[in-house]
Amino acid sequence: MTAMGYNILQRLPQGKDYSSSDYSSSTKTAETTSERLESLKEIVGSTYPLSHLMSRSDFYGTATINDTILALPETLEQLQNIVKAARTLGLKVRCIGIAGSWTPLWADKGQILMDLKNLVRHDGPRLEMNPVRYPNENTGSGTITALASVMIFELYDFMEQHDVTWLSGLAHDGGTLAGIISTGSVGSGINNPVLSEYAVAMRIVDSEGKLRSYNMIEHPEEMGALQCCLGMCGVIYDITVKVVPNAIARQRHVFYPTKELLMNGSNLRHLLEKNFNVQAHYSPMTGMTDDDWKFLAINGSIPASYKAENDMMWTKLLDTNDQELYSKEPVSPPYIWPHPMGTTPAPPSTTPATFKAHWLQALKDSADEVRSYFAETTYHTIPNALRTGSTDHMFKPVHGTQFFFPEDNNFTTSARLAKIITDIIQEDLEHPYGPFVTIVTGLIRWLKPSDPGCFLCPTNYRDATSVVSMEIVNAGLPPDMFFATSDKVSAKLLKEFPHARTHWAKEFEFGIKENIVKRTFDSYGYLLQQFKAIRHMAKWDTENMFTNELLCEIFYGVKHC
C-alpha cells in the first residue's frame, strides 16, 4: 500500500465501521414504479424525458432489465434536476450505455436508469482536442475531452482526425467511454494499463446535483477512485483521456499451438516485448488433423492422438518497430472480421463425401476461414489497428466470464492457465457420452499492472511484473451448456489462484457456485477500503443513491444500503 493509501484511512473519523453500510435504506419512495415516476415528474415537470421502462435486454442477450424509470436527459440542467429530485424521493440512479455488462450493474427494479445518449455538452463540443495543460502531465500529445456517452469507435475516428491514439483499446464496435473507463475494461500489451488509467480528468454530477471537476494533477486521490468507480460516485458527465502520437502499426495474425505459445515462457516473452499489443484466442479442436476429423465422424469419439494443448491459438500482433519501412506500405482501413468466429454458416466441408462429417466439423471450418481471412500482413494507423471485431451479426446470447492473475517474469501463470483450460477441454471431449464443446473461444491478454492509486482497477497487483487476463466466451449455445464448463473452469481457477480477480462487468455472479461476492471483497482488500474512504470524504454520494443491490452486497455486506 502506498503512503497515500494509509493517510486516506487515517484521516477518517475514528470509531466508525466502514465495512458496513454508512446509511440505512430510504423509506421515502412511493409504492410502485408508476407512482414513483409520477412523483418524479411532479418535481421536475411533465415535459422532462422520463418514462416507465417495462423491459430492456442487455447487449449480449443474457439478461433483462425490468420495471425501471428511464431518464434520457438532453441538457446538464435536466440531468442535475433529475438527480436532485431522485434524492428527494429516495430513489437510486444507475447509468447505462449499451448495456454491455454481463454483471447486473444497472438499476434495480423501481429505480432510475439514466441513459445519456441524448445529452449535449453545455460548454463545448461532444469531443474536444486539448493541448497539454501542465508541463509534467506526461500525456504525450495533449488530451481529448469527451461526453460520457461517446462510443469507442466514435473516439477512434476522432483520434484519426487529430493524429493521436491509444496503444490499447476495445476491439469491437460497442461500448461507451464512461462504460469502459468506469468498469476497468482492458485492451492488451504488457506496457499498457487497463483503459481506466487513460482518464486524467473527469466531471461528475454528485448526489446533490452539483457538477464537480477533478484532474490527476490537483486531485490524485479522488481520480484514483473515479478512474474505476463502477458508477458509484455520481453520474459521469465527461471524461478527459490522455493520448499519444499516432503511428503506422504492422498487423500480423499468427497461429501457434497452445503449448508453444502459453507453455513456452521465452517465446511468449519475445512476442510481448516485440509487439505493443498481443491478443491470443484459443478455440477447441483447432489442432485436429483431417484424419482426426474422419475418425470422429465415423466413431463418434475423439482419437487418442488428439491433445487439446496442440489446438491452435489465433494470435493478433501489433508493432511499430520500423516506422521508416512501414510508412512505405499501403495503409489499410480497419481490418475487421465481418462475422465473429462461430457465428457464420460454415463453408462447404472439405471432408471426403464417403462419410457424413461430424457436427463439430463446423468449428474447424470456421477456424480455417479465420486463418484464410487474416493470412496477409497489413498496415494501419493505430486506432484502425485496434479494431478487430464487428458485432453487427453477433450470434446471441453471448455468455462470458473473465479473470485477472498476477504474472511473474517467467510467465508461469500463463502456462498454468493453459494447462487448466486444455485439461478441462480434453476431459469434455473425451466424455463417454460424446464430445462436448461449450466454449467458442478463450481470449488471453497481458497487461501492465495498474498504478497503486487506481483502487478498483482489476490489474492493481503490487508485486506483479505483468497481469494476465483470461476470458472465456460462448455464443449461441444455451447458458446451461456454457456454465457446465465455465463452472469447472472458474472453480479450478479460484482454487489454484487465490488472488485471482473477476472483471467487474463480466458475469462474475452467474454460473459460479462459490461465494464470489465475498471473494471479490477479499481479493481487493485494502484497495476496496481506500475507495470507500475517498468516496466518503469527497461526499459524492451521501445517500448511497448511486448503488444497487449487487454493489451494496459487495461493498457493504447488505442488499440495501
Side-chain angles (χ1 to χ4, degrees):
M1 183 190 298
T2 63
M4 179 186 75
Y6 281 116
N7 289 336
I8 292 169
L9 298 178
Q10 290 167 357
R11 291 202 302 270
L12 287 170
Q14 298 303 303
K16 188 170 180 62
D17 181 8
Y18 289 91
S19 64
S20 61
S21 173
D22 295 343
Y23 311 98
S24 60
S25 58
S26 173
T27 59
K28 293 182 286 187
T29 54
E31 184 177 354
T32 69
T33 302
S34 295
E35 289 173 337
R36 294 172 182 178
L37 174 59
E38 290 307 310
S39 297
L40 198 60
K41 286 185 174 181
E42 286 179 8
I43 296 175
V44 300
S46 60
T47 60
Y48 265 55
L50 299 164
S51 61
H52 188 178
L53 181 65
M54 297 301 296
S55 179
R56 171 178 173 174
S57 173
D58 75 324
F59 180 75
Y60 295 103
T62 61
T64 304
I65 307 164
N66 294 316
D67 194 20
T68 60
I69 298 171
L70 177 63
L72 289 162
E74 299 170 2
T75 66
L76 173 61
E77 182 181 15
Q78 285 185 351
L79 168 58
Q80 292 172 308
N81 288 340
I82 292 171
V83 169
K84 287 187 285 187
R87 175 183 171 127
T88 299
L89 296 171
L91 293 171
K92 290 180 178 286
V93 176
R94 294 292 298 166
C95 291
I96 194 166
I98 66 166
S101 169
W102 279 309
T103 303
L105 297 175
W106 45 76
D108 295 323
K109 180 179 178 179
Q111 306 301 326
I112 296 176
L113 192 67
M114 183 79 75
D115 189 336
L116 304 181
K117 64 182 180 182
N118 296 333
L119 187 67
V120 176
R121 192 158 164 251
H122 75 287
D123 58 355
R126 184 171 171 82
L127 295 107
E128 184 175 11
M129 190 73 206
N130 312 305
V132 176
R133 293 177 57 199
Y134 306 100
N136 62 340
E137 193 167 11
N138 193 29
T139 59
S141 292
T143 59
I144 294 173
T145 299
L147 271 174
S149 58
V150 162
M151 300 294 290
I152 292 306
F153 274 24
E154 189 180 352
L155 177 65
Y156 287 167
D157 288 341
F158 188 81
M159 289 176 175
E160 280 283 305
Q161 297 170 18
H162 294 273
D163 204 26
V164 295
T165 190
W166 285 348
L167 296 179
S168 181
L170 206 64
H172 66 76
D173 54 351
T176 61
L177 180 60
I180 69 164
I181 294 291
S182 65
T183 58
S185 295
V186 302
S188 187
I190 58 171
N191 293 315
N192 300 324
V194 292
L195 304 182
S196 301
E197 293 188 74
Y198 282 116
V200 295
M202 192 178 297
R203 288 194 291 183
I204 62 171
V205 173
D206 69 10
S207 62
E208 295 182 355
K210 297 176 182 176
L211 183 65
R212 300 171 66 177
S213 180
Y214 298 90
N215 66 72
M216 191 63 76
I217 301 300
E218 298 170 315
H219 317 97
E221 293 178 349
E222 290 86 348
M223 281 300 300
L226 291 172
Q227 282 178 319
C228 182
C229 63
L230 309 178
M232 292 177 63
C233 300
V235 177
I236 298 175
Y237 180 68
D238 59 21
I239 303 173
T240 299
V241 296
K242 59 185 177 182
V243 290
V244 297
N246 201 354
I248 303 299
R250 178 176 62 165
Q251 179 172 259
R252 293 173 294 156
H253 296 267
V254 184
F255 295 81
Y256 296 99
T258 301
K259 65 181 180 182
E260 292 184 14
L261 179 64
L262 297 184
M263 300 180 183
N264 185 328
S266 59
N267 185 35
L268 181 55
R269 180 184 298 106
H270 176 78
L271 286 178
L272 293 171
E273 290 176 349
K274 296 296 182 180
N275 299 275
F276 71 85
N277 196 296
V278 177
Q279 300 180 38
H281 300 256
Y282 170 83
S283 288
M285 305 181 74
T286 50
M288 295 266 284
T289 65
D290 288 340
D291 286 341
D292 291 337
W293 284 106
K294 184 173 182 179
F295 183 95
L296 173 61
I298 294 173
N299 300 286
S301 61
I302 299 295
S305 59
Y306 168 78
K307 300 298 178 187
E309 65 181 18
N310 293 323
D311 284 333
M312 304 301 290
M313 297 200 72
W314 167 23
T315 309
K316 176 183 175 180
L317 307 172
L318 297 177
D319 77 85
T320 55
N321 298 335
D322 192 338
Q323 287 299 290
E324 182 177 357
L325 175 63
Y326 298 170
S327 63
K328 298 176 183 178
E329 298 289 341
V331 177
S332 302
Y335 208 47
I336 295 175
W337 180 231
H339 26 245
M341 186 183 295
T343 68
T344 307
S349 174
T350 57
T351 308
T354 53
F355 61 88
K356 184 179 179 180
H358 193 276
W359 67 274
L360 286 172
Q361 179 79 33
L363 281 176
K364 177 182 184 298
D365 292 336
S366 185
D368 288 346
E369 189 180 0
V370 170
R371 189 180 304 193
S372 174
Y373 184 82
F374 287 116
E376 297 181 359
T377 296
T378 54
Y379 299 84
H380 314 264
T381 57
I382 295 176
N384 281 335
L386 293 176
R387 316 179 198 208
T388 299
S390 169
T391 59
D392 289 344
H393 307 292
M394 182 179 286
F395 193 14
K396 299 178 181 180
V398 179
H399 290 274
T401 190
Q402 185 173 359
F403 294 91
F404 297 88
F405 313 87
E407 184 60 282
D408 58 31
N409 279 319
N410 297 317
F411 296 98
T412 55
T413 298
S414 298
R416 290 171 64 192
L417 290 175
K419 183 72 166 57
I420 289 171
I421 192 73
T422 55
D423 281 355
I424 290 175
I425 292 296
Q426 190 82 36
E427 179 183 328
D428 283 355
L429 293 178
E430 292 175 354
H431 196 282
Y433 294 105
F436 296 99
V437 176
T438 64
I439 295 176
V440 171
T441 185
L443 173 57
I444 316 292
R445 289 173 282 185
W446 295 264
L447 300 138
K448 177 183 176 182
S450 291
D451 185 284
C454 187
F455 306 122
L456 297 186
C457 284
T459 50
N460 191 340
Y461 289 106
R462 286 185 295 171
D463 300 323
T465 56
S466 62
V467 177
V468 57
S469 158
M470 186 176 78
E471 180 177 2
I472 55 175
V473 178
N474 156 67
L477 293 177
D480 288 349
M481 293 182 66
F482 173 67
F483 290 143
T485 298
S486 69
D487 277 359
K488 289 189 290 186
V489 173
S490 300
K492 184 70 171 177
L493 293 177
L494 293 174
K495 180 179 179 181
E496 292 287 322
F497 301 97
H499 300 297
R501 291 180 182 143
T502 48
H503 191 306
W504 288 109
K506 293 293 177 68
E507 209 163 41
F508 61 80
E509 70 155 359
F510 297 126
I512 301 174
K513 293 183 173 62
E514 300 197 29
N515 185 353
I516 199 64
V517 169
K518 183 179 185 304
R519 292 191 67 113
T520 301
F521 182 93
D522 293 343
S523 68
Y524 282 88
Y526 70 88
L527 295 169
L528 189 145
Q529 298 298 344
Q530 289 184 96
F531 170 81
K532 289 166 62 178
I534 289 290
R535 181 173 175 267
H536 175 82
M537 290 188 299
K539 297 182 179 180
W540 290 321
D541 186 12
T542 57
E543 303 291 330
N544 269 349
M545 64 180 291
F546 298 117
T547 62
N548 67 2
E549 289 187 4
L550 174 63
L551 293 170
C552 286
E553 278 195 83
I554 294 173
F555 285 82
Y556 298 107
V558 293
K559 277 196 172 183
H560 303 284
C561 60

